[in-house]
Amino acid sequence: MKVMKFGGTSVGSPERMKGVCQLITKSGKPTFVVLSAMSGTTNSLVEISNYFYKKNPDGAHDIINQLERKYMQHVEELYTDQNIKAEITELLKERFQYLRSFSKDTFTSFEERAVVAQGEILSTNMVTAYLKQQGIKAFLIPALDFMRTDKNQEPDMMHIKLHINDILRREEGYQIYITQGFICRNAYGEIDNLQRGGSDYTASIIGAAIQAEEIQIWTDIDGMHNNDPRVVEKTEPVHQLNFEEAAELAYFGAKILHPTCVQPAKNAGIPVALKNTMDPDAEGTIINNDLQRGKIKAVAAKDNITAIKIKSSRMLLATGFLRKVFDTFEEFNTPIDMVCTSEVGVSMSIDNPKNLDAIVDKLKKYGTVTVDRDMCIICVVGDLDWENLGFETLATEAMKNIPVRMISYGGSNYNISYLIRSADKKQALQNLSNVLF
């Protein structure tokens, strides 16, 4: 069985929904489908929540009414079978009435998560109903029945595997199984979400749990490109990536994929295919355990980076200095992207400046601190093992006219990273494309 995931733009209109239904039924084989909310819906639900937080139910009801009218119009365009049309209309009315009910109670983050979950619930019910209208044996499995996180907010893989396979055994014989991406229950049984990676993460978790033959992530671009097509001209799809290469690219800016979402698939040895809903026949990108030796695959850029440098000739060589520095970032729950050290200093980059002032204030106990804002990490990914002579030189040659604040090489066999000013990003990416590809 394959797992196919479709994002919000792929189910963003009645026509797109019909196109998705054609794709998922094309093979005629049993398929597990993960759907996001229709594009724009989650933003509306977040706005509704904000009104409820501010104790403004009238503002919330205005957005609910707008959203309901939009969905009811979709019903008119999707369904011709009067019985199915009546069923889905009644379900939508119930869901929107459920949203209105939150004006009567205290509104907290628990209620917000329940509100935001409704987008995926709406889209999956609508697609399931349309498939049934087309005579397809389709079964909707609510994600809240099997998808759960543990007390560390990580997927509870044992629980998920046990429950989803039990459901599939009980409900065998269907051609299409559909569930919601993103949403789950937490360790306490409350409605929650997977946070990182959203629906992509759901698809990867399900693929690993049911030992799928392949996990397909369908978006509006034909795979992962060798550079950012929004910035650089004449980029091309990368047809194959190793799991490690894909994770590096995703972490350092390739928006098509979240860095955590391939981990369950990698652990289970299941290939992940990135496909284009707008061009289903395009080859796309396959991510698996294979590694193409001696090849640089792609370049990515991560924006909104801040660099922090601590200079201390007095303390750098003292036992425990680096531990104190890293403990500071852990205390303020701030991950570090890059690290470079010398005899008298250590430089780090972060992408979340929320606690920057507090971090800098504490680091001043250990040395002189300087901060560079508005920076960008450029990441070159491929087979960058240190024994591949000249690969790092080739990448650095492309950067010869770009001021580089930091370089990170050797921490991974798949990545060399450069910290530069955001203003130099476009030129750096274009230079790398010209030299490497």
Side-chain angles (χ1 to χ4, degrees), residues 288-303:
N288 53 31
N289 279 318
D290 297 340
L291 177 65
Q292 289 182 296
R293 291 291 179 186
K295 188 173 177 63
I296 294 178
K297 295 290 188 66
V299 178
K302 189 175 187 180
D303 298 316

Side-chain angles (χ1 to χ4, degrees), residues 402-413:
I402 305 292
V404 177
R405 168 70 173 77
M406 289 168 60
I407 299 177
S408 176
Y409 176 58
S412 162
N413 288 339

Side-chain angles (χ1 to χ4, degrees), residues 11 81 99 132 170 179 212 267 280 309 327 331 350 369 399:
V11 291
D81 183 296
L99 290 175
K132 289 178 178 177
R170 288 200 317 266
T179 196
N267 293 342
K309 180 179 180 180
D327 281 351
E331 178 184 346
I350 60 173
V369 181
M399 301 288 287

Side-chain angles (χ1 to χ4, degrees), residues 222-235:
D222 51 341
M224 193 175 288
H225 280 228
N226 60 5
N227 211 323
D228 190 338
R230 299 165 300 179
V231 178
V232 176
E233 297 178 356
K234 298 179 181 178
T235 64

